[in-house]
Amino acid sequence: MAGMAERVISDLSAGNIQPSAVDQVAQAEVIKFVRATVRQKQWRIADAQASGKTWVAKRKQYELIGCLPARFLGAWEAVSLASRKHRLSAKARNRGLFALTWDIAQHLHNLNSPSFGYAILKPKSNGGIREVCAFHLFDVARQKLIAGAIHPFVRLHNAQYLYRCGRSAACGELRRSLRHAPPGTRFIHLDITNYHGSISHGWLQEHLPVPSNILNNLILLDGMTRVLRWHLGPARQQDEGNDEAGRLGIPQGSAASPIVAEFVMADILRTGADLLEGLDIFNYSDNLGILLPGDRDEAAFMEHLLGVFATHRAGPFQLRTISTCDIQKPFRFLGYTWQKTKRGITAHVPVAFWREMEYEAEILEAQGLERIDHLEQRFRSYCGAFPLWRGATSMRARLDRAANQQRALMPRRTII
């Protein structure tokens, strides 16, 4: 089937066929082909880097950034994300995702033009406020492309799970570790205060394996000065005279920021290797969980760990203790409440009851089939995010029934 995909790409590039004329079977083959091609190129970059052939790895990185499969994949991931979040205009949806992806990919070689972010404030679960940047579709596609080019250079620490099978894998490893943890073990839950906003531009310019023009235009946004904040009020506007504000930070909401943050975190964890040796550690984004045996001095351990983060040249970073608890008592981590009991390890989702009520109310108030479909996608995704919780299946079944009942009440469309 690779031959079909290559023929379709060749005909599209030559203008022999239009993107809108490509049927769904051929579209699926093209997407499968470009994914495989990009993955193969990434493996070659990683192999060259691991062999110490840095110049070969960087040359292959340039080739990856410029090749059509990588540009198409970056555009496809951006368009798919916008479609899932209902951020595409009616005109774009009517045109078709494949055709829109192809058009973006044709212009994605332009990586020298600056990008701009639009800052919005989102409430955090702990009651705080997080600043998140939104970007135009073309910039998201460029960020996806660059994230894929950085990924082969990131030597992830064994404790990092964001790009190693995700949150479910981290929770699965935590459950296995809890089974073997001896009595007296404590679980320490930490996070990094304003992690993305604390990353040093100077350190990234020195260490991040990406061309400087791309780094400035697509990752650092020229010292974060290309983030529009005026609408947030004076307290949230960037102080142009503050050198510290320009020296630090990558934008949350950028598709390139997560892999950059993982690159930095891997270096921090390697710096603290002697302190963390032999411990079960679970890192997901800026969340850090540690199982500390009862015979370790917690106060001394925490003092040294705080020092590792505070003195790292990519920061400084400020660790904040969320909780510290004996594993035989309930503790929160990555959405679950955990506890080791005589019967085994329990993991449940304490806020699920309230979340189910919210979904049910939104379903009852939904206007139109498209809104119900969107809500169905959301609650199924939520239930699927907690595979260790036994109540996820029954919660999804109840919400499915509510959605189907509401859908049945909608007036049927008349086909003329």
Side-chain angles (χ1 to χ4, degrees):
M1 286 295 189
M4 175 199 290
E6 290 178 298
R7 284 195 301 273
V8 171
I9 292 174
S10 177
D11 286 341
L12 286 169
S13 300
N16 297 330
I17 59 174
Q18 295 299 313
S20 56
V22 181
D23 61 40
Q24 291 187 348
V25 173
Q27 290 180 21
E29 289 302 319
V30 169
I31 295 165
K32 181 179 177 181
F33 170 76
V34 299
R35 284 191 188 279
T37 302
V38 170
R39 193 180 302 117
Q40 188 176 61
K41 290 179 178 294
Q42 288 175 326
W43 285 340
R44 290 172 180 170
I45 295 171
D47 285 344
Q49 178 69 8
S51 302
K53 300 177 181 178
T54 304
W55 66 274
V56 175
K58 290 192 174 182
R59 177 172 57 81
K60 291 182 178 296
Q61 183 191 51
Y62 287 126
E63 294 173 359
L64 174 66
I65 292 173
C67 76
L68 178 58
R71 287 188 281 120
F72 184 92
L73 184 60
W76 175 255
E77 290 177 345
V79 169
S80 300
L81 178 64
S83 178
R84 289 196 301 271
K85 294 187 175 182
H86 292 254
R87 292 179 179 172
L88 289 179
S89 65
K91 181 179 179 181
R93 290 196 303 271
N94 292 335
R95 190 175 178 204
L97 302 187
F98 187 86
L100 179 60
T101 297
W102 180 260
D103 285 352
I104 293 174
Q106 301 312 297
H107 299 89
L108 215 54
H109 53 77
N110 179 13
L111 300 176
N112 291 319
S113 62
S115 55
F116 296 86
Y118 180 89
I120 56 178
L121 300 180
K122 288 189 174 182
K124 299 171 68 174
S125 58
N126 62 5
I129 296 293
R130 174 185 288 113
E131 182 183 279
V132 179
C133 294
F135 297 88
H136 291 297
L137 186 59
F138 179 72
D139 279 337
V140 176
R142 294 199 296 174
Q143 293 161 4
K144 288 283 188 181
L145 172 62
I146 296 308
I150 295 173
H151 193 276
F153 290 89
V154 181
R155 293 189 299 118
L156 293 173
H157 190 277
N158 290 335
Q160 291 177 276
Y161 288 92
L162 184 63
Y163 281 89
R164 291 175 55 238
C165 303
R167 189 174 64 87
S168 294
C171 293
E173 286 298 323
L174 174 57
R175 185 170 63 173
R176 281 187 281 273
S177 297
L178 285 172
R179 287 198 187 105
H180 300 98
T185 300
R186 299 183 67 79
F187 184 81
I188 303 174
H189 181 193
L190 308 140
D191 76 357
I192 306 173
T193 302
N194 190 26
Y195 177 45
H196 283 71
S198 301
I199 295 175
S200 165
H201 290 181
W203 191 89
L204 290 178
Q205 288 166 345
E206 183 179 351
H207 293 89
L208 191 67
V210 69
S212 58
N213 63 316
I214 293 175
L215 178 66
N216 291 327
N217 287 326
L218 302 181
I219 297 175
L220 304 183
L221 304 187
D222 263 359
M224 297 290 284
T225 58
R226 294 192 180 127
V227 177
L228 180 61
R229 292 187 175 92
W230 60 265
H231 61 291
L232 301 181
R236 291 285 176 174
Q237 293 175 23
Q238 177 154 335
D239 181 5
E240 296 182 359
N242 186 348
D243 292 336
E244 188 73 6
R247 189 181 72 85
L248 299 174
I250 57 176
Q252 288 201 59
S254 165
S257 290
I259 192 64
V260 175
E262 289 295 282
F263 180 85
V264 175
M265 180 62 73
D267 199 82
I268 298 171
L269 294 175
R270 282 193 293 270
T271 301
D274 292 341
L275 176 66
L276 300 173
E277 185 177 4
L279 298 179
D280 291 314
I281 309 165
F282 312 92
N283 168 243
Y284 187 79
S285 187
D286 60 352
N287 282 276
L288 190 65
I290 301 171
L291 287 174
L292 191 70
D295 58 358
R296 291 282 295 267
D297 185 332
E298 183 178 338
F301 172 80
M302 285 302 303
E303 182 181 355
H304 291 146
L305 186 63
L306 290 171
V308 169
F309 280 80
T311 59
H312 195 279
R313 289 182 57 238
F317 301 103
Q318 181 182 354
L319 271 183
R320 179 173 67 102
T321 302
I322 303 298
S323 65
T324 173
C325 180
D326 189 291
I327 59 174
Q328 293 182 329
K329 296 180 180 179
F331 63 90
R332 295 283 303 276
F333 188 63
L334 297 183
Y336 289 98
T337 293
W338 304 84
Q339 186 176 6
K340 182 171 185 177
T341 67
K342 293 181 179 180
R343 295 183 178 181
I345 310 302
T346 63
H348 68 276
V349 184
V351 299
F353 174 77
W354 304 107
R355 186 59 66 90
E356 182 175 351
M357 290 183 64
E358 291 174 1
Y359 281 132
E360 189 169 4
E362 289 186 76
I363 290 170
L364 293 174
E365 296 172 359
Q367 299 293 325
L369 294 173
E370 186 176 355
R371 175 60 177 166
I372 294 178
D373 292 342
H374 176 59
L375 289 170
E376 191 173 56
Q377 185 181 45
R378 282 176 53 198
F379 72 68
R380 287 183 176 182
S381 176
Y382 179 83
C383 294
F386 297 101
L388 302 182
W389 176 47
R390 294 180 179 177
T393 302
S394 57
M395 175 179 168
R396 172 176 167 171
R398 289 190 296 270
L399 291 172
D400 274 334
R401 283 196 298 271
N404 289 333
Q405 289 170 1
Q406 187 69 6
R407 192 180 282 113
L409 296 175
M410 294 286 175
R412 295 185 179 181
R413 295 178 180 175
T414 302
I415 301 177
I416 300 176

